Amino acid sequence: MRVVTWNVRSLRDSRADVVDVLRTLNADVVCLQEMPRFAAPRREAARLAADCGLVVASAGPPVAALGILVAPRVRVGATLRQPLPWAPGRHRRGLVRAVVELGPVRAQVATVHLGLDLEERERHARIIRTRLRDNRLPAVLAGDLNETDTFPAWRLLADGMQDAWLVAGHGTGRTFSTARPRRRIDAVFVDAALSVSSCEVPDGDEVTRASDHRPVVCDVGWLADTV
């Protein structure tokens, strides 16, 4: 199962290049952050999905900036869209999750976009881990963490999970900013019950034009002894 996570910056840079990149990556599950959220977010998510040859698994209020799109071959079960505790003056953050099934792989896939305040990120990371543990399916958690792997929220989310890039990464793994990537702040964490065969950060002109973040592409599957 190929999972892509990408902060698309509200499609303000080049929507056409976002579409082209996602079509090229041929993902089974796409976790998006900074989706257009102010004007008809469900309709915008559906339009983007259709243009990419995908369908919407979960998108829209009350967490309109996050969305999960899937290939038509992927079966979608229960979904969750949960706002996280919010302080006035800050962007409202949330967790979006969908149960997905493709071949032997059945898992909960979640997307998040943590904030700019360190203490808020840590609080939200604790809530996210608790919510994922409420569902006993193996988890794949993907998103923009707004911090690197030396910070508390990243370590909380990675605890007991595989950091896909550390397991099977190619290149530097840096995702921000697109033109001069110096930090790895976008990640995919994979349950220990799943395998990670590849993880990379695409580059190229289309990626550079599409957003201020680079996407992360991760291939996961069942461990051989659990199938």
Side-chain angles (χ1 to χ4, degrees), residues 41-59:
R42 285 195 181 93
R43 184 180 65 193
E44 289 299 313
R47 286 182 58 234
L48 178 63
D51 289 347
C52 296
L54 304 169
V55 295
V56 175
S58 185

Side-chain angles (χ1 to χ4, degrees), residues 205-224:
D205 292 342
E206 288 181 330
V207 171
T208 302
R209 292 191 299 261
S211 175
D212 61 342
H213 287 245
R214 294 186 177 191
V216 180
V217 185
C218 176
D219 292 323
V220 304
W222 280 114
L223 291 172

Side-chain angles (χ1 to χ4, degrees), residues 145-173:
L145 306 189
N146 266 317
E147 66 180 35
T148 61
D149 58 3
T150 61
F151 284 81
W154 184 298
R155 293 198 299 267
L156 277 166
L157 295 176
D159 183 34
M161 305 273 279
Q162 303 175 83
D163 181 332
W165 185 81
L166 291 182
V167 171
H170 307 286
T172 67

Side-chain angles (χ1 to χ4, degrees), residues 89-162:
R90 295 179 182 167
H91 289 296
R92 195 177 295 274
R93 306 291 170 174
L95 167 69
V96 172
R97 183 184 68 191
V99 172
V100 299
E101 186 173 355
L102 179 66
V105 179
R106 186 168 185 262
Q108 53 172 324
V109 177
T111 181
V112 297
H113 183 189
L114 299 185
L116 300 178
D117 180 79
L118 187 148
E119 292 183 357
E120 180 190 69
R121 290 197 301 269
E122 186 173 357
R123 287 196 304 274
H124 286 174
R126 293 185 187 280
I127 295 170
I128 291 163
R129 284 307 305 268
T130 298
R131 180 57 70 181
L132 293 180
R133 286 171 178 152
D134 288 344
N135 186 319
R136 295 186 179 182
L137 286 173
V140 177
L141 173 64
D144 174 0
L145 306 189
N146 266 317
E147 66 180 35
T148 61
D149 58 3
T150 61
F151 284 81
W154 184 298
R155 293 198 299 267
L156 277 166
L157 295 176
D159 183 34
M161 305 273 279
Q162 303 175 83

Side-chain angles (χ1 to χ4, degrees), residues 11-20 44 47-49 51 210:
L11 302 176
R12 291 183 308 217
D13 294 306
S14 173
R15 185 184 187 280
D17 285 305
V18 169
V19 170
D20 286 346
E44 289 299 313
R47 286 182 58 234
L48 178 63
D51 289 347

